[in-house]
Amino acid sequence: TFTVQRGDILSQEQFSARVIPMIQEQLSFRADGRVRRLYVRPGDPVTQGQLLADLVQVEQMQAQKKQQVLDLRRAQINLEMAQLRAEAMQTQTPAWELNYEITMRLQALEVELAQIDLSDIEQANTILDTAIGDAQVISPIDGKILKINIIEGAEIQAYSVVIIVGDDTNIEIGAELTSDQMKGLAEGM
């Protein structure tokens, strides 16, 4: 004989799970090359925009960038000088002078050539900035380094995942369950 009582019936399942950030970013270089330096280790906190790793060619490109900054300034100065010469010629040369039209046209062409030189240098600057960006891995979010798949000095291929960054402020539980384990579970349990 048993005494009947009302109560909760428990059915338990035990399985392994892991806590993972809901937001994860898989990062890669956009260029082939050899890893020059890793600036972080797994578990390190990172901020958005922080440099995480770079390739050997970055050093040479940064030296080129310094030269291009000087070239850009030189082109800006040349353009400004050409514009000032054109203004000075226009105000100092009387319109009735024999070669007035030719002189004004020459000054306008000098200004145009200086503008072309400036545009060429600005375009080369943009291309170099893109190449430098392609040879660096920069964190797109604030978070923590979850995984690093490279070592310094290793050859890597473009677009292969080298670092995984996660935002650990929003986390979820992740588990791989068999179909038998899933049968006894329902949402909200």
Side-chain angles (χ1 to χ4, degrees):
T1 321
F2 293 99
T3 306
V4 178
Q5 293 181 334
R6 289 193 176 262
D8 293 335
I9 298 174
L10 280 173
S11 174
Q12 293 182 336
E13 286 285 337
Q14 288 187 354
F15 46 86
S16 297
R18 39 182 209 140
V19 177
I20 54 175
M22 290 178 69
I23 299 173
Q24 291 186 28
E25 295 287 337
Q26 296 184 349
L27 309 177
S28 60
F29 292 103
R30 293 182 306 268
D32 295 340
R34 183 178 302 278
V35 178
R36 177 176 82 149
R37 188 167 297 136
L38 280 170
Y39 298 98
V40 291
R41 293 189 310 256
D44 284 356
V46 295
T47 57
Q48 183 178 4
Q50 180 178 341
L51 177 63
L52 308 178
D54 59 15
L55 299 177
V56 170
Q57 60 260 37
V58 168
E59 197 168 0
Q60 180 185 6
M61 288 187 282
Q62 286 173 335
Q64 288 175 341
K65 180 70 176 170
K66 288 178 184 176
Q67 182 60 46
Q68 278 192 348
V69 167
L70 296 175
D71 291 345
L72 179 63
R73 183 62 186 139
R74 186 176 297 116
Q76 291 168 336
I77 290 170
N78 285 338
L79 175 60
E80 190 174 341
M81 287 172 46
Q83 290 169 334
L84 291 172
R85 275 194 300 273
E87 287 176 26
M89 278 296 223
Q90 195 169 22
T91 57
Q92 294 173 356
T93 307
W96 63 83
E97 192 171 296
L98 182 61
N99 294 327
Y100 177 80
E101 293 295 324
I102 294 172
T103 304
M104 292 303 114
R105 182 73 183 133
L106 282 172
Q107 291 302 315
L109 290 174
E110 271 188 41
V111 170
E112 188 176 347
L113 281 175
Q115 287 174 331
I116 290 170
D117 288 343
L118 179 61
S119 294
D120 284 347
I121 292 172
E122 287 173 338
Q123 184 177 10
N125 227 355
T126 301
I127 291 169
L128 185 59
D129 287 343
T130 300
I132 289 172
D134 290 348
Q136 295 177 325
V137 175
I138 296 175
S139 179
I141 60 173
D142 292 340
K144 184 174 22 173
I145 300 295
L146 301 177
K147 187 173 185 180
I148 297 178
N149 298 328
I150 54 170
I151 58 171
E152 289 181 359
E155 284 288 330
I156 59 98
Q157 294 206 341
Y159 300 104
S160 58
V161 176
V162 294
I163 297 175
I164 299 175
V165 177
D167 178 3
D168 57 358
T169 57
N170 293 322
I171 56 173
E172 65 184 0
I173 306 296
E176 293 182 21
L177 303 176
T178 65
S179 59
D180 289 339
Q181 289 172 318
M182 290 296 290
K183 285 180 186 175
L185 298 177
E187 191 172 328
M189 292 179 79

